[in-house]
Structure formats: C-alpha cells, structure tokens
Amino acid sequence: MSTQKHYTGLIERYRDRLPVSASTRIISLNEGNTPMIQLQNIPRLIGKDVEIYVKFEGLNPTGSFKDRGMTMAVTKAVEEGSQAIICASTGNTSAAAAAYAARAGIKAFVLIPEGKIAQGKLAQTLMYGAEIIQINGNFDKGMSLVKEIADHAPVTIVNSINPFRLDGQKTAAFEIVDDLGFAPDYHCLPVGNAGNISAYWKGYTEYAVSRVCSTRPVMCGYQAAGAAPFVAGHMIDEPETIATAIRIGHPQSWDFAWAAQKESGGWFDKFTDEQILAAQKMLSQYEGIFCEPASATSLAGALQDIGSGKIPEGSKIVCTLTGNGLKDPDTAISQCAAAHPVTIEASLDAVKRAILDCL
Ligand SMILES: *Cc1c(COP(=O)(O)O)cnc(C)c1O
C-alpha cells in the first residue's frame, strides 16, 4: 500500500494485485474505500444476535460499485490505445462508463433499454457526455448487440465480460477483509449479470490464497422474482422487476457465479418487488441509509435467511449495497405516503399544530 496520505483510488491502493505496470496511466476518480456501516437498529428489531455490516457502494464517485470495474477497464482500454468504449447497461454501467471516458478523454457509447432506466442514471450519463443509443429491447438484447458490434467498429467493450472489470470489482472484498481484519461468515449480494458475485469470490479467494484471511464467506446471491435465472436454473427471456439494475435474464457471468455458489457452499434465492422495496425502506427509515431498490435485495435476502436460521445467530454478515438511492427518485417517492404533503398556512400557529399532531 502507498504511504501517501491523499487517497487516489483502488488501483493505486491495490496495484500489486492488479494488472497494471509502473508506466500505466491510471484513469481514476478516487473510487473505492467505501464505508462499512454496521447496522444497529435492524438486528435489534428482528431480535437476532447477528452482526450485519453494509458495504455502501452507493458512495462511489458515480454512485455505484460499477466505478470499481470501470477504473480498471478504462485504464486498460486507454493503455491498449482504444479511442472509444461501449457497453449495454441498465443504467449504472452507462453512468460509470460515461464518467471514466470523460476523465480519460475518450468516447463512450451506451446502449440502454427504452424507458427502463432510472432518472438519476440517465441524468448522469447525459451530463458526462456519452453517446446514448436507446434500443427498443431489454438489457439482454443490448448486451448481445454490443458483443457483435465490437467486431465491426473500433470500440472496447466495458461490460463485465471485460475481465478487467472483475479485477477492479474484486477490490471490494479486499477492502472488507482489510477493514474487519477477517472475512465475514456470509456475504449477501444482489445478482443481475452476476459479475459482482464472481468478482467478490475472486477477491476473497486471492486473499485466502495469500493468507491475508484464513476463511472465505458463504456467498448468498439474491435475485428479483421476475428476473431470477439462477433460481430457475436456466436463462429467462422476459425479465421483469422494479429493481431495474437487476432486470436481467441472461447473465453473462453464469459459470463464474455458479462456481462461487458451489465452492462457497452458498445459495441463490429470489424476492418479490414488494419485499425488495420493503427492505429498501427499512434500511432508510431504521438506519438512515438510502440505497437503490436492486441493492436492497441483499438485505431482503439476509433478513429472510437470518429469520429462518439458515444464517445462524452469532454470524458476521456483509451485505453489499450496490447503488445509491438517489439514482432512482421516482421509485422512492412513489412508495412514500408523505411524498405529497398537504400545504398549511405559513404561520407559527399552524406549524405548531402540525408538529403537536404528530407527537
Ligand atoms: C449492476 C448492478 C447490480 C448487479 O450486479 P451484477 O454484477 O450485474 O450482478 C446490482 N445493483 C446495482 C445497483 C447495479 O448497478
């Protein structure tokens, strides 16, 4: 680890474990180093003796864990002389690709599914100046187009099929072990394209091989009920969920994710949109942590499996909160009754009455 005080991103911090050389120009926005927050109120509420930590990846520079993969993918694309990158995206990959391309001074093309990308993600992608190509098809269709186009145009794919993406993302596992001093017993993640669960497993495994940690966690992959190919055991053609970041039916890291599940003794499960949104709201209202809907799937899963005893008391659990709640204000506002407050008279009396009525 570098001795300089100013944090300059995960590649600098973990450069001895990443495929960069001394002459590599690093494209970074100081991503990584995200907080591990121990939940205080929810364990008490459910009456279970467990330590639950959330790794709040929503506090990365563009508001999701995709920045970890993108700093590596864009660094390597630039090193290889690429002038343009391309990805299919449910929103967060496009925001990250657009930001890191801007930082590098290259062009970003993003294929997004029409009408299925959250407001905040669209705003970011527009502001960072990417070329947006909206298609009348879902993420899986966009992904298959991106895989074909790379043979026809000089663009580097920065979806998680780009192996440098997983290398960047594995650093989240390093941070967790460096932070706790050991690996957790269970690691809970939302699963969409399945790159992240594969990357965490890679990270934990590398640290275990180097004896930085003596154990690896059980990996728990949680999906949305309408987009749960790992639970079904086969690809799904028309995935549907309000958690648009995991609205994926044909995950690209299929084999890696199954390996993570099998080698770790873990499992996959699925949750309805209602369960996902309830977990998102619970985390906001009881802990003050606002993540996006897809991210809350990790907590929905952890709470169910703690409740049933599948994750036993005494366990240390990490849930990755993959993205920031501000990404998707529409979904948040639509589930809050107080989103359309009644207007009262601007007088001391009226405000006093409003407060006393609530206490
Ligand atoms: C990309 C993303 C996921 C899914 O990660 P995969 O690596 O595709 O499984 C989950 N949540 C959020 C917020 C994401 O942006």
Side-chain angles (χ1 to χ4, degrees), residues 222-241:
Y222 300 124
Q223 303 208 277
F230 286 101
V231 181
H234 55 77
M235 303 292 178
I236 303 262
D237 279 340
E238 300 289 340
E240 204 46 82
T241 170

Side-chain angles (χ1 to χ4, degrees), residues 63-66 90-93 121 139 160 165-166 169 190-198 245-246 248 253 292-295 321-324 327:
S64 87
F65 75 84
K66 300 299 198 302
T90 59
N92 282 334
T93 302
K121 303 175 188 181
F139 169 84
S160 54
R165 278 276 308 274
L166 299 200
Q169 287 170 213
V191 173
N193 220 12
N196 214 27
I197 193 168
S198 306
I246 51 173
I248 295 173
S253 294
E292 68 175 280
S295 311
L321 299 181
T322 45
N324 197 300
K327 294 269 194 179

Side-chain angles (χ1 to χ4, degrees), residues 161-181:
I161 56 169
N162 177 326
F164 300 122
R165 278 276 308 274
L166 299 200
D167 270 324
Q169 287 170 213
K170 75 185 178 186
T171 61
F174 298 164
E175 288 178 15
I176 290 167
V177 174
D178 289 342
D179 188 296
L180 292 175

Side-chain angles (χ1 to χ4, degrees), residues 16-31:
D16 57 336
R17 293 180 179 276
L18 293 168
V20 290
S21 73
S23 61
T24 307
R25 176 187 160 211
I26 291 167
I27 312 299
S28 171
L29 290 164
N30 299 7
E31 59 295 308

Side-chain angles (χ1 to χ4, degrees), residues 93-308:
T93 302
S94 65
Y100 285 82
R103 185 79 161 168
I106 62 173
K107 217 168 175 56
F109 295 94
V110 305
L111 263 73
I112 57 170
E114 184 181 20
K116 293 291 182 182
I117 149 164
Q119 276 287 318
K121 303 175 188 181
L122 190 59
Q124 291 178 287
T125 308
L126 289 166
M127 283 300 284
Y128 295 135
E131 299 292 336
I132 296 183
I133 304 167
Q134 184 161 256
I135 58 166
N136 61 354
N138 63 21
F139 169 84
D140 298 310
K141 181 67 191 165
M143 190 66 239
S144 75
L145 287 168
V146 162
K147 288 203 293 198
E148 281 180 65
I149 200 71
D151 293 334
H152 300 273
V155 289
T156 303
I157 301 177
V158 294
N159 280 105
S160 54
I161 56 169
N162 177 326
F164 300 122
R165 278 276 308 274
L166 299 200
D167 270 324
Q169 287 170 213
K170 75 185 178 186
T171 61
F174 298 164
E175 288 178 15
I176 290 167
V177 174
D178 289 342
D179 188 296
L180 292 175
F182 48 80
D185 302 313
Y186 295 85
H187 192 120
C188 304
L189 282 156
V191 173
N193 220 12
N196 214 27
I197 193 168
S198 306
Y200 271 93
W201 187 241
K202 188 168 198 262
Y204 284 123
T205 300
E206 288 183 17
Y207 253 23
V209 166
S210 303
R211 308 221 173 278
V212 182
C213 52
S214 56
T215 61
R216 295 179 294 176
V218 172
M219 302 299 290
C220 308
Y222 300 124
Q223 303 208 277
F230 286 101
V231 181
H234 55 77
M235 303 292 178
I236 303 262
D237 279 340
E238 300 289 340
E240 204 46 82
T241 170
I242 198 164
T244 49
I246 51 173
R247 188 173 171 267
I248 295 173
H250 287 244
Q252 297 296 313
S253 294
W254 182 255
D255 294 338
F256 284 143
W258 280 114
Q261 177 264 321
K262 292 200 179 84
E263 291 167 22
S264 74
W267 57 84
F268 294 107
D269 207 344
K270 61 180 180 181
F271 297 87
T272 64
D273 285 357
E274 291 68 31
Q275 290 174 302
I276 292 169
L277 294 178
Q280 183 196 21
K281 202 164 184 180
M282 188 179 191
L283 197 51
S284 298
Q285 305 205 332
Y286 290 100
E287 301 284 357
I289 301 167
F290 184 27
C291 67
E292 68 175 280
S295 311
T297 312
S298 60
L299 183 70
L303 293 181
Q304 173 194 274
D305 291 337
I306 292 165
S308 72

